[in-house]
Amino acid sequence: RSMRALCILAAVSLATQASAYERFVSPNSKFEAYTTARWLDGTGMKLFLRRAGARDAGALLKENNRWIDAKWSPDSRFLAVIDHLDGHILHIYVFGVASADSAPTLLYHTPNLRTYDVKWEVTGWDIARREIVLRKDVKHEGPGRITHEKVVARIGTKPLRF
């Protein structure tokens, strides 16, 4: 009986992993990032990266208890992962995607991680200069006080840690 329950739980877990919420295919069509539920009840998200058309799960890039989005650079060398931690905190992580045989590498993340009432948005890329263009919104105390700032950030070449 317990073996039967374990098999059912495993099947549900695999079905949850297999059904993607959203797919983000690279502009060169060689890679895809996709999201799935983090928890069996359908909450939270995981973002994976794999070769396009592959059947394996791929590399887990990020997971959280809310939602995750992604945007590819025009040349498919970088994947920006937009991590919505909650309604007040949002961060961006940029991974280098070199080839199908190498693991993605974290090369940039927005500064001051976990800062409350700071949200970031990817607005563009300057691939020739190895830069990502971001919009930073900061909510200040008081009604309606939000500042907006354009940030041009250099994408590094050395791997970073989470």
Side-chain angles (χ1 to χ4, degrees), residues 41-58:
D41 67 0
T43 60
M45 280 191 152
K46 292 181 180 182
L47 180 86
F48 294 89
L49 177 65
R50 65 183 175 193
R51 279 178 279 129
R55 298 244 183 243
D56 64 322

Side-chain angles (χ1 to χ4, degrees), residues 1-151:
R1 213 175 188 170
S2 63
M3 184 63 148
R4 189 174 176 186
L6 184 60
C7 287
I8 290 171
L9 182 61
V12 168
S13 177
L14 286 173
T16 301
Q17 290 294 329
S19 64
Y21 287 146
E22 206 168 346
R23 295 186 189 282
F24 309 92
V25 178
S26 63
N28 67 7
S29 300
K30 291 183 180 181
F31 302 98
E32 74 171 341
Y34 69 96
T35 57
T36 65
R38 181 177 184 189
W39 307 109
L40 290 177
D41 67 0
T43 60
M45 280 191 152
K46 292 181 180 182
L47 180 86
F48 294 89
L49 177 65
R50 65 183 175 193
R51 279 178 279 129
R55 298 244 183 243
D56 64 322
L60 174 64
L61 295 184
K62 192 78 179 120
E63 61 185 333
N64 69 21
N65 290 326
R66 300 284 281 196
W67 73 96
I68 298 173
D69 197 8
K71 290 191 178 181
W72 283 98
S73 65
D75 65 355
S76 303
R77 288 178 30 212
F78 304 106
L79 179 66
V81 176
I82 300 101
D83 183 13
H84 299 262
L85 290 175
D86 67 18
H88 300 276
I89 301 173
L90 186 149
H91 301 300
I92 296 175
Y93 300 87
V94 177
F95 289 87
V97 181
S99 72
D101 299 327
S102 63
T105 306
L106 178 63
L107 297 173
Y108 172 81
H109 63 74
T110 48
N112 305 316
L113 296 176
R114 299 196 179 272
T115 303
Y116 198 74
D117 281 339
V118 176
K119 296 180 182 179
W120 297 86
E121 178 185 348
V122 177
T123 59
W125 301 84
D126 185 340
I127 297 307
R129 299 178 76 175
R130 201 177 170 101
E131 295 173 336
I132 185 170
V133 183
L134 305 167
R135 176 179 153 158
K136 178 182 178 182
D137 296 340
V138 179
K139 184 177 179 185
H140 302 278
E141 287 187 33
R145 292 209 34 203
I146 299 174
T147 58
H148 310 284
E149 178 183 353
K150 178 181 175 181
V151 176

